[in-house]
Amino acid sequence: MDLELVLAVDVSGSIDAEEAALQRRGYLDALTSRKVIRAIEVGPLGRIALAYVEWGDREHQRVVVGWRLISGRASALAVADEIAGAGRQVWLNTSISGAIDFSVRLFDRSGFESPRRIIDISGDGYSNDGREAPAARDDAIAAGVTINGLPILDDLIVPGGLDRYYAEEVIGGPGAFQVVANDFADFGRAIQTKLALEVAGLTPQLASRLP
């Protein structure tokens, strides 16, 4: 594979049904977008492995779609259909560290090999359950995993700004970056850009090089 990617999606209590629907629709549209498919197809091997995880508090994470190979539009559509057909669960608290720890363990049983392992974590709040997020981030980096972030700047009040919190306490590793969604309505735009950059091995500063 060119990349092993875990999409780690916040489904904690701060996200209502309408916001959750916008978030999931954003992932579905991004996975099947021309921009992301093109980035996959022009990679050195032309294929990536992807898993879709939803998370809430420190004891609740679930694999919605396990590791799947995506090599073009047909396989991307198949994965999107699996995600779309999954039911919704909601957990009260927000444990970013739990999401990171859970996602790191998934790489050990992916069945794939790649030069890059990335956790793409999105959410609308700071971690309030489990161990501190930076501790999980640092352990992930030590295991060879990069964490990229997509903070959603909704109506929650986060001291200093959620984007700053993600930058300082969540993301890390070689080439780590974040793309900010201004609100849930903006999520689709943000996740499409972010996925294309991750697949292509680029950062937002190099977005002009996307195929």
Side-chain angles (χ1 to χ4, degrees):
M1 300 297 109
D2 291 318
L3 168 69
E4 292 166 79
L5 177 65
V6 175
L7 301 180
V9 185
D10 182 0
V11 292
S12 60
S14 61
I15 297 176
D16 64 28
E18 181 180 355
E19 292 168 338
L22 286 170
Q23 188 173 223
R24 184 172 283 191
R25 173 48 55 189
Y27 280 107
L28 299 179
D29 290 345
L31 281 172
T32 57
S33 69
R34 185 178 183 278
K35 181 184 293 186
V36 172
I37 298 301
R38 178 64 176 162
I40 293 171
E41 292 176 337
V42 302
L45 298 175
R47 56 185 183 268
I48 69 167
L50 181 143
Y52 187 97
V53 172
E54 293 182 339
W55 56 273
D57 58 50
R58 61 181 166 179
E59 296 181 351
H60 291 97
Q61 307 88 24
R62 68 164 183 151
V63 177
V64 176
V65 174
W67 289 105
R68 300 289 186 270
L69 185 155
I70 300 178
S71 58
R73 182 166 177 77
S75 49
L77 284 168
V79 172
D81 285 345
E82 284 192 75
I83 296 171
R88 176 176 177 251
Q89 295 185 15
V90 180
W91 294 294
L92 180 61
N93 292 317
T94 302
S95 180
I96 292 175
S97 58
I100 293 172
D101 291 337
F102 181 84
S103 298
V104 167
R105 293 192 294 271
L106 289 181
F107 290 109
D108 293 333
R109 54 180 189 269
S110 73
F112 298 106
E113 293 185 5
S114 70
R116 295 186 294 135
R117 291 180 165 187
I118 295 175
I119 299 170
D120 177 326
I121 190 162
S122 64
D124 72 339
Y126 56 89
S127 196
N128 58 17
D129 190 36
R131 65 175 178 150
E132 295 297 318
R137 174 200 61 199
D138 293 346
D139 285 349
I141 295 170
V145 176
T146 292
I147 302 168
N148 294 333
L150 200 165
I152 306 165
L153 307 185
D154 198 25
D155 53 0
L156 294 180
I157 299 174
V158 179
L162 187 62
D163 50 346
R164 180 177 176 181
Y165 172 78
Y166 263 66
E168 294 180 352
E169 302 200 23
V170 178
I171 70 172
F177 68 89
Q178 65 178 22
V179 174
V180 176
N182 296 313
D183 51 30
F184 279 92
D186 186 44
F187 185 84
R189 186 268 324 161
I191 191 60
Q192 183 176 141
T193 298
K194 187 161 179 280
L195 282 181
L197 290 170
E198 285 168 335
V199 171
L202 301 172
T203 62
Q205 294 77 16
L206 300 174
S208 62
R209 298 186 185 179
L210 282 171

